């Protein structure tokens, strides 16, 4: 049954500080935004979208730089029942074309710089607005004009929704075929936010230093979700920049980041225990945190990083404890309401302590399914409702989960996923290329970095730079391999399958010295 209580915004609102004058965002240099700003601006925008005829369930595609106004836009979508569809700002034309065609948004919000591109791509889309990093652009301007002309009034009643109403659509590329839209409901996001607030002890006194991008689960649903569901505040940075993080750390109580954030901080000569004496918690996730980084951080600051594990399809599944032992190299125990199990290739549950198998999860946090891909959804869920994560894991005698690898062919570079299949498909189309294999190898900054191993018709005619340049025109730059090597042939097993493990071993040290 429809109820406003199913709306994630309402769940957040219940935790807002009594005084709406409390600061929600402290962007530095005296630039502050209150909970009242969040309420008023999101109401205005939700009202405006409704006046344009946008209906619950309509998708709103957003590719803009990080700004407080981005947050008002997200909240407006929640309030109006619109489906928030954020995109990595690094995506290029071909990637954007796909997402727009697949998501069929009713409105697109982009940066002014990208307006000409989106004008082309958005043919047939009802509304196209701009929003720039300083909050200017046609979106809020049109909204204000509508108020001035008396077309809309201030105030908006957050919409009643079905319990499973869609809140967000996030795409992940696939190990096969086309990228999949991951459908996250208000219920999924609410369940996870409330569990994380408890698990990590968030209160309205917390100030979370936010340096993550806002178009992924980590920065948006985990970090911002914890703050909004506890009435806390955000110490806001436009992106991760070591100098700015060092400057703002003394203003914060909690920090969240991917492992690269921690390795970069440890390399900063001025990073010290004194700088973080007011912090109560450092959280890491999205990629494996090396025990070496965990130990170095403890030695440098006295703080024990809390590592957790999640994915876009499921939000957060496991976490090391707030109180109790945080074991390096593990991702902790299942969060309340989340079931995890390890199974063999036939789906048989492996009960033995330490047995390695495929990790499956179940809970209110697990997504509704893939957008318009019922077969793919059915393939990834078991008959008893568990989702196959594609991660390999083991569980120790205390119940701590260790992610030991992946059954999916995926590289995680600086917390961003790269699907070799997608890169290989582009390389293989380049004239002079016979075939290619993209692998992930150790990278000193990003954890893993992509390397392309290419068989060319004639090595003299193709240079590594040609391949890199070509890839940069059609793929987000972070997906472009850091190195290209040419080989006469790819190693194959008896079945003819490329042996990526052999390539990973052969090129294991290739990126070690890269910066
Ligand atoms: C940037 N570059 C990368 C990269 N980030 N290359 C590989 N991997 C990355 N992660 C490349 C750029 O394309 C560019 O290449 C060059 O590095 C400089 O770009 P930059 O933008 O100046 O880089 P920088 O600001 O230093 O960014 C690095 C970073 C950023 C680590 C700060 O990638 C980041 O914020 N990562 C976090 C991602 C995240 O939020 N993941 C969570 C996903 S949610 P060129 O060739 O143009 O010079 C999820 C679920 C869960 O996974 O469990 O949380
Ligand atoms: P994404 O699709 O971007 O949500 O990435 C999810 C994937 O990131 C998971 O399936 C894991 O492979 C990986 N991941 C997330 N957190 C961790 C972690 N703490 N340790 C190891 N891998 C992680």
């Amino acid at each position: 049954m429809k109820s406003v209580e199913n709306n994630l915004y309402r769940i957040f609102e219940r935790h807002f500080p009594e005084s709406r004058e409390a600061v929600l965002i402290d962007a530095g240099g005296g630039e502050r935004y209150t909970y009242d700003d969040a309420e008023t601006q999101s109401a205005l925008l939700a009202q405006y979208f409704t006046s344009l005829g946008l209906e619950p369930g309509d998708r709103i595609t957003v590719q803009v730089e990080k700004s407080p106004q981005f947050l008002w836009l997200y909240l407006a979508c929640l309030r109006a029942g619109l489906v928030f569809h954020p995109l990595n700002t690094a995506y290029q034309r071909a990637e954007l074309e796909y997402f727009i065609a697949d998501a069929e948004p009713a409105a697109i919000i982009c940066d002014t710089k990208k307006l000409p591109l989106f004008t082309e791509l958005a043919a047939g889309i009802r509304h196209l607005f701009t929003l720039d990093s300083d909050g200017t652009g046609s979106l809020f301007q049109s909204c204000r004009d509508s108020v001035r002309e008396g077309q809309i009034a201030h105030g908006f009643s957050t919409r009643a929704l079905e319990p499973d109403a869609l809140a967000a659509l996030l795409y992940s590329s696939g190990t096969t075929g086309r990228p999949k839209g991951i459908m996250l409901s208000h219920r999924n996001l609410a369940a996870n936010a409330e569990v994380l607030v408890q698990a990590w002890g968030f209160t309205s006194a917390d100030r979370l230093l936010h340096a993550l991008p806002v178009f992924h689960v980590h920065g948006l649903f985990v970090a911002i979700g914890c703050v909004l569901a506890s009435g806390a505040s955000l110490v806001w940075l436009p992106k991760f920049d070591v100098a700015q993080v060092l400057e703002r750390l003394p203003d914060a109580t909690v920090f969240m980041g991917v492992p690269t954030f921690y390795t970069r901080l440890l390399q900063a000569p001025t990073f010290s225990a004194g700088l973080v004496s007011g912090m109560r918690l450092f959280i890491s996730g999205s990629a494996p945190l090396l025990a070496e980084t965990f130990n170095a951080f403890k030695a440098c600051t006295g703080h024990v990083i809390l590592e957790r594990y999640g994915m876009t399809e499921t939000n957060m599944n496991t976490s090391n404890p707030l109180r109790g032992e945080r074991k390096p190299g593990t991702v902790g125990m299942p969060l309340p309401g989340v079931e995890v199990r390890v199974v063999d290739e036939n789906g048989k549950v492996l009960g033995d302590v330490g047995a390695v198998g495929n990790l499956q999860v179940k809970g209110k946090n697990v997504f509704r399914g893939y957008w318009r891909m019922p077969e793919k959804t059915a393939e990834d869920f078991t008959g008893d409702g568990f989702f196959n994560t594609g991660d390999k894991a083991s569980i120790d005698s205390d119940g701590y989960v260790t992610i030991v690898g992946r059954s999916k062919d995926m590289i995680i570079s600086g917390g961003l996923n790269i699907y070799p299949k997608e890169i290989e498909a582009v390389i293989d189309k380049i004239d002079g290329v016979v075939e290619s294999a993209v692998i992930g190898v150790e990278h000193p900054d990003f954890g893993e970095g992509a390397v392309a191993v290419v068989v060319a018709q004639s090595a003299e005619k193709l240079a590594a730079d040609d391949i890199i340049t070509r890839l940069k025109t059609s793929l987000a730059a972070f997906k472009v391999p850091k190195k290209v090597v040419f080989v006469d042939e790819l190693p194959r097993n008896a079945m003819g399958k490329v042996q990526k493990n052999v390539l990973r071993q052969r090129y294991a040290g290739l990126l070690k010295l890269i910066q």
Side-chain angles (χ1 to χ4, degrees), residues 90 211-219 222 239-241 258 260-261 264 285-287 308-312 315-316 412-418 445-446 448-449 468 472 476-480 482:
L212 285 156
V214 280
F215 37 73
H216 291 304
V217 160
H218 197 163
V222 183
K239 61 178 288 211
F240 180 85
D241 173 87
V258 299
T260 300
F261 288 12
R264 287 190 183 181
S286 307
R308 56 62 176 177
Y309 157 76
M311 59 191 303
T312 308
N315 276 252
M316 299 305 101
I412 306 185
S413 179
L416 294 173
N417 297 354
I418 301 171
D445 185 31
F446 295 132
E448 278 185 291
I468 302 277
K472 282 199 169 170
F478 71 85
K479 297 180 189 170
V480 176
K482 304 295 176 203

Side-chain angles (χ1 to χ4, degrees), residues 164-298:
D164 265 335
L166 211 52
L169 188 63
L170 270 73
Y171 279 76
S172 89
S173 293
T175 45
T176 54
R178 51 199 194 101
K180 301 163 290 185
I182 295 162
M183 297 194 286
L184 292 160
S185 68
H186 284 251
R187 196 212 311 246
N188 295 146
L189 301 178
N192 219 230
E194 292 196 312
V195 160
L196 293 178
V197 164
Q198 293 305 318
W200 296 340
F202 269 86
T203 71
S204 57
D206 273 313
R207 297 179 302 278
L208 182 140
L209 179 49
H210 196 294
L212 285 156
V214 280
F215 37 73
H216 291 304
V217 160
H218 197 163
L220 186 57
F221 304 135
V222 183
I224 292 177
C226 281
V227 165
L228 292 173
S230 63
S233 65
L234 292 155
V235 177
W236 188 260
L237 290 179
K239 61 178 288 211
F240 180 85
D241 173 87
V242 172
Q244 289 183 18
V245 170
L246 293 176
E247 193 186 318
R248 300 301 317 265
L249 267 172
D251 301 332
T253 60
V254 182
F255 183 66
M256 274 183 202
V258 299
T260 300
F261 288 12
Y262 291 101
T263 51
R264 287 190 183 181
L265 281 176
L266 283 168
Q267 279 163 18
T270 55
F271 184 60
S272 65
L275 213 54
V276 295
S277 56
M279 292 290 286
R280 70 168 186 88
L281 188 58
F282 286 91
I283 303 173
S284 174
S286 307
L289 179 77
L290 297 180
E292 189 186 317
T293 312
F294 176 99
N295 290 328
F297 201 83
K298 190 172 167 192

Side-chain angles (χ1 to χ4, degrees), residues 289-331:
L289 179 77
L290 297 180
E292 189 186 317
T293 312
F294 176 99
N295 290 328
F297 201 83
K298 190 172 167 192
C300 174
T301 64
H303 283 280
V304 180
I305 300 174
L306 179 153
E307 184 172 6
R308 56 62 176 177
Y309 157 76
M311 59 191 303
T312 308
E313 280 90 338
T314 64
N315 276 252
M316 299 305 101
N317 296 309
T318 70
S319 173
N320 272 281
L322 184 63
R323 289 174 202 85
E325 192 187 359
R326 297 178 196 160
K327 294 192 193 180
T330 81
V331 293

Side-chain angles (χ1 to χ4, degrees), residues 64 79 143 154 186 209 223 229 238 243 252 268 296 336 367 373 375 429 444 447 474 483:
V64 300
R79 297 185 76 170
C143 209
H154 279 280
H186 284 251
L209 179 49
F367 75 132
M373 289 186 181
E375 305 82 21
K429 283 202 195 105
S474 49
K483 275 231 157 111

